[in-house]
Amino acid sequence: MKLSQFKFDLPLNLIAQNPTKRREDSRMMVIERKTGKIENKHFRDILDYFDDKDVFVVNNTKVFPARMYGRKEKTGAKIEVFLLRELHKQNRLWDVIVDPARKIRVGNKLYFGESDELVAEVIDNTTSRGRTIRFLWDGPEDEFRKMLYFMGETPLPKYIKRKPDEEDKERYQTVYAKHEGAVAAPTAGLHFSPELIKRLEIKGVRFAEVTLHTGLGTFRPIEVEDLSKHKMDAEYYNIDEEACRIVNKAKETGKRICSIGTTTMRAMETSFTAQKLLKPSEGWTNHFIHPPYTFNIADSLVTNFHLPKTSLLIMTCAFAGYDLIMDAYKKAIKDKYRFFSYGDAMLII
């Protein structure tokens, strides 16, 4: 399949700028793969589709406040620094994106805070906008972390045209977020409230947790028309024994496995056995799933409505079929579903 097949026109007013008042009140489009039936529901109705001993697999990554604003030495020019990942804890080395990048060269110092509480030095160029920086900090690690949290802001995507506020610190994070390392929220999980999880557990649904630290590469536009030539950025993942035990027991007894989000699905599709069971492992994955593809672990998927021509939309089409998903997106636009991170959900069964 070609990249141009995943293009569609999206009215800008359908891009959600704020979350719904309550997490589970977002709308949910339900798509049946076998029959092609499409229904409009609300996310809280997910209770009606799963039974005792079915399993939801969630991504427990935690978003950190990755966007910072600093000043360049001498000129005082304002520079946005987006922390991608920590490369070396002791040396305080970070992989970052800087904007505007043309002004930032190796050897430059960047100052953060009203009184320059934090200083970083640029030590390498990685891509056109990418840099490696070293924070010049002699204090203890926990104080450094506190300073990063104080200086950083919630990394809302650029298509949300407002400054992050206090509410975003909570809402751009799943209620089960545990392991810090993501620079973007695994958005399918944002629809779960503690109450909804409790109601699902009372019904007998089990939850298994995996970790995949969502990076910006997940959302990066694909530049090649031939999908087989696209290279994903590698992202760290971890699947432990406990998650495998829960998932595999359900699989062996014919129960349903629902992947909450495309990041969860990518982690699981990176680590399975010849018997199509989930396998414990950790490392880095750059697995790019595009049609045609046979999925090995999950038989249902919760995901949000994605940008045209992205790896997320392409994976969703691989799971449910190209024609069905493109029809569903047309319906979503007609029915005024809210798109992207703070938007509505799709359940594919």
Side-chain angles (χ1 to χ4, degrees):
M1 297 200 78
K2 300 280 184 263
L3 179 66
S4 49
Q5 291 174 262
F6 296 91
K7 186 176 181 296
F8 63 90
D9 292 322
L10 179 69
L12 293 179
N13 66 326
L14 294 185
I15 298 172
Q17 297 297 308
N18 293 281
T20 50
K21 201 160 165 29
R22 289 174 33 188
R23 290 176 185 264
E24 66 265 47
D25 285 350
S26 49
R27 295 166 76 198
M28 178 174 72
M29 180 181 279
V30 182
I31 299 174
E32 289 184 19
R33 291 190 288 173
K34 279 203 179 99
T35 62
K37 184 175 161 195
I38 300 175
E39 286 186 292
N40 293 335
K41 298 281 187 176
H42 284 91
F43 195 76
R44 56 183 178 268
D45 300 324
I46 199 165
L47 277 159
D48 302 335
Y49 293 90
F50 295 91
D51 291 313
D52 187 30
K53 310 265 187 335
D54 287 341
V55 171
F56 281 16
V57 189
V58 299
N59 181 4
N60 64 14
T61 187
K62 189 174 187 180
V63 180
F64 63 90
R67 187 173 281 125
M68 302 172 69
Y69 295 96
R71 292 176 307 287
K72 192 183 167 189
E73 63 179 331
K74 298 193 177 93
T75 66
K78 187 179 177 185
I79 306 293
E80 179 185 308
V81 177
F82 195 99
L83 304 176
L84 287 178
R85 61 172 166 246
E86 191 172 37
L87 298 173
H88 194 284
K89 207 183 216 69
Q90 278 73 32
N91 292 343
R92 315 245 186 263
L93 289 181
W94 284 76
D95 192 5
V96 304
I97 287 175
V98 292
D99 190 25
R102 58 192 157 67
K103 297 183 176 179
I104 303 301
R105 297 188 171 85
V106 173
N108 286 162
K109 284 201 173 69
L110 300 169
Y111 294 87
F112 301 89
E114 283 175 23
S115 312
D116 302 340
E117 292 93 333
L118 204 52
V119 183
E121 183 181 9
V122 181
I123 60 170
D124 197 10
N125 294 326
T126 51
T127 60
S128 59
R129 290 172 57 214
R131 303 288 184 271
T132 301
I133 65 172
R134 175 169 55 230
F135 285 103
L136 309 176
W137 178 270
D138 294 331
E141 171 67 19
D142 60 336
E143 283 180 24
F144 173 64
R145 290 277 153 187
K146 265 188 210 146
M147 189 58 78
L148 281 188
Y149 262 74
F150 178 68
M151 297 287 177
E153 67 175 35
T154 304
L156 293 183
K158 292 282 192 187
Y159 52 70
I160 293 179
K161 305 290 184 197
R162 61 176 178 81
K163 289 290 281 177
D165 56 28
E166 276 302 304
E167 188 192 25
D168 292 308
K169 286 183 183 172
E170 183 207 338
R171 292 300 301 271
Y172 195 65
Q173 196 83 270
T174 62
V175 297
Y176 44 74
K178 272 189 195 150
H179 302 297
E180 192 175 271
V183 298
T187 56
L190 296 180
H191 306 287
F192 286 96
S193 65
E195 296 77 27
L196 182 59
I197 290 173
K198 182 57 74 191
R199 288 168 70 197
L200 283 157
E201 286 176 338
I202 288 167
K203 198 172 178 186
V205 173
R206 303 288 311 277
F207 281 78
E209 298 183 11
V210 301
T211 305
L212 184 138
H213 290 326
T214 325
L216 281 186
T218 298
F219 303 92
R220 185 168 292 147
I222 297 170
E223 312 273 317
V224 289
E225 178 67 0
D226 179 353
L227 295 182
S228 65
K229 292 191 166 52
H230 176 60
K231 294 279 182 287
M232 291 276 281
D233 288 9
E235 294 165 320
Y236 171 84
Y237 78 96
N238 186 351
I239 299 173
D240 64 18
E241 298 268 0
E242 175 66 0
C244 295
R245 192 183 61 72
I246 295 168
V247 168
N248 293 340
K249 190 176 174 188
K251 273 191 82 89
E252 286 163 346
T253 52
K255 295 297 177 182
R256 313 260 298 282
I257 311 290
C258 182
S259 174
I260 306 301
T262 55
T263 56
T264 306
M265 187 73 90
R266 271 218 331 284
M268 292 194 289
E269 289 298 317
T270 298
S271 186
F272 58 87
T273 68
Q275 292 75 39
K276 296 198 171 191
L277 295 173
L278 195 58
K279 183 171 74 174
S281 68
E282 76 165 317
W284 295 81
T285 178
N286 61 355
H287 195 24
F288 174 42
I289 296 173
H290 56 88
Y293 185 87
T294 304
F295 288 81
N296 297 281
I297 304 294
D299 50 42
S300 45
L301 170 68
V302 172
T303 189
N304 277 26
F305 290 90
H306 304 297
L307 277 161
K309 304 206 306 196
T310 51
S311 64
L312 310 160
L313 171 62
I314 290 167
M315 184 205 285
T316 307
C317 287
F319 189 74
Y322 173 80
D323 292 334
L324 182 55
I325 288 298
M326 289 324 237
D327 285 347
Y329 268 62
K330 278 190 199 118
K331 179 174 166 56
I333 291 167
K334 185 163 101 18
D335 294 350
K336 298 200 164 24
Y337 271 75
R338 289 151 43 90
F339 274 67
F340 310 155
S341 296
Y342 274 153
D344 296 317
M346 173 187 277
L347 168 64
I348 304 168
I349 51 178

